[in-house]
Amino acid sequence: MTCDAPSLDRIFIEFGPLTVYWYGVIIITGLLIGLYLATRESNRLGLQKDLIVDLIVFAAPIAIIFARMYYVIFEWDRYAGGPWWKVFAVWEGGIAIHGALIGSVLTAIVYARIKQVSFWQLADIVAPSLILGQAIGRWGNFMNQEAHGGPLSESVYNSFHQYLPDFIMDQMCINGVMYHPTFLYESVWNLLIFGLLFVLRKYNPLRGELFLAYVITYSIGRFFIEGMRTDSLYMFGHIRTAQFISILLILAAVAIMIYRRISGKADKRYDGKKIKK
């Protein structure tokens, strides 16, 4: 479907030679809101003060580094012949959430050992914050006109997309072609997961299972939405990296959940109370 609409300005503000992009502002906003929610929950559970803040101080930069490394590795041909500094140009977009998750989990495992606290307890506390941060972060992709799907047909547009706000669909008009706002699909899916995790938390699940539920539900949505995108990273031939990793994460999360239940390692509830036998 053809279109004709101006795009939004990617720049938030400029201070002389310093340019601040909406992409970075939106990512930081998601991080701060997530930190606020996780800190409140940590305090409610009576954990050590600043436990979550200290974790985020270490995990956030490491997650960004891993997210960028992951993206650059699978898009190496794009950066190999260009200026070397483009490898570090995160403000231009190009970070992968799976890379960020790998960096975050590794950091949390080491941090939990140092602080002598349960990794699974930390993971459960930050799970809702992670998915909310992802939901907000997708709007950074919106400002950059990236992470979109293929071209929209006129019939599909008329059946649903015409009812979306004009500013969303106008931003999906790229070089005269209207594209699927897959960033929006994933953002909405992530918000639904956020609500689901809050409901599950009220039922006081076994420790670790809130985080594993996040991994499973996010990976399911990502698998299907990734299939619609035009900017996917690829592993082998036509195998999309995000879909392959999503399947692995689902299988791993289910296996870990079953193993911890059978082995008795999941011996505490979310709130830290021992399971009555």
Side-chain angles (χ1 to χ4, degrees):
M1 175 178 170
T2 59
C3 58
D4 181 19
S7 61
L8 298 174
D9 190 351
R10 295 172 53 208
I11 297 175
F12 175 71
I13 195 170
E14 290 183 284
F15 294 102
L18 178 64
T19 301
V20 179
Y21 291 89
W22 274 107
Y23 183 88
V25 171
I26 292 171
I27 295 295
I28 294 299
T29 299
L31 176 64
L32 292 177
I33 293 176
L35 175 60
Y36 170 74
L37 292 177
T39 300
R40 281 192 58 184
E41 183 62 11
S42 176
N43 292 338
R44 186 183 75 83
L45 294 175
L47 298 183
Q48 179 183 340
K49 189 177 180 181
D50 295 331
L51 183 68
I52 299 297
V53 174
D54 290 343
L55 171 60
I56 299 302
V57 167
F58 291 108
I62 293 175
I64 293 174
I65 292 171
F66 269 74
R68 185 60 175 179
M69 287 173 55
Y70 184 102
Y71 183 85
V72 170
I73 287 172
F74 287 103
E75 282 281 275
W76 182 245
D77 290 342
R78 176 179 174 184
Y79 296 96
W84 64 268
W85 59 268
K86 284 284 187 178
V87 170
F88 306 97
V90 179
W91 56 89
E92 294 185 354
I95 58 176
I97 186 59
H98 283 135
L101 288 176
I102 293 170
S104 299
V105 169
L106 291 177
T107 304
I109 290 173
V110 174
Y111 180 81
R113 287 184 177 274
I114 293 174
K115 291 290 186 177
Q116 297 184 335
V117 296
S118 167
F119 160 76
W120 293 110
Q121 185 176 34
L122 291 177
D124 281 344
I125 290 172
V126 302
S129 296
L130 283 173
I131 197 65
L132 180 60
Q134 289 172 239
I136 295 171
R138 279 302 173 198
W139 288 87
N141 298 133
F142 163 74
M143 293 302 300
N144 278 357
Q145 293 184 309
E146 61 188 7
H148 58 72
L152 268 175
S153 66
E154 190 167 349
S155 60
V156 172
Y157 175 84
N158 291 332
S159 65
F160 172 69
H161 295 81
Q162 64 171 321
Y163 302 110
L164 293 176
D166 288 340
F167 78 93
I168 292 179
M169 297 314 300
D170 286 349
Q171 188 70 352
M172 289 297 97
C173 180
I174 305 170
N175 297 325
V177 178
M178 186 74 71
Y179 291 93
H180 274 278
T182 46
F183 85 91
L184 178 64
Y185 306 159
E186 186 169 328
S187 182
V188 172
W189 177 254
N190 291 347
L191 287 175
L192 292 175
I193 297 173
F194 176 72
L196 173 65
L197 294 183
F198 260 80
V199 172
L200 290 177
R201 197 165 73 181
K202 291 183 185 237
Y203 288 92
N204 202 19
L206 298 180
R207 180 174 285 182
E209 295 196 353
L210 198 69
F211 175 73
L212 294 172
Y214 150 71
V215 172
I216 293 169
T217 51
Y218 170 70
S219 297
I220 291 172
R222 181 60 186 271
F223 178 86
F224 289 103
I225 294 171
E226 187 68 23
M228 303 175 64
R229 287 175 54 171
T230 59
D231 61 344
S232 296
L233 303 176
Y234 288 87
M235 291 189 70
F236 315 107
H238 298 293
I239 299 177
R240 298 174 190 246
T241 305
Q243 289 184 315
F244 181 76
I245 297 298
S246 293
I247 292 174
L248 289 184
L249 288 175
I250 293 170
L251 294 176
V254 171
I256 291 172
M257 193 178 293
I258 294 173
Y259 168 74
R260 296 186 79 243
R261 281 179 173 247
I262 293 177
S263 65
K265 292 186 180 294
D267 60 346
K268 290 184 180 180
R269 294 286 178 183
Y270 170 81
D271 61 7
K273 293 179 181 178
K274 278 277 189 179
I275 297 174
K276 295 180 181 180
K277 296 184 179 180

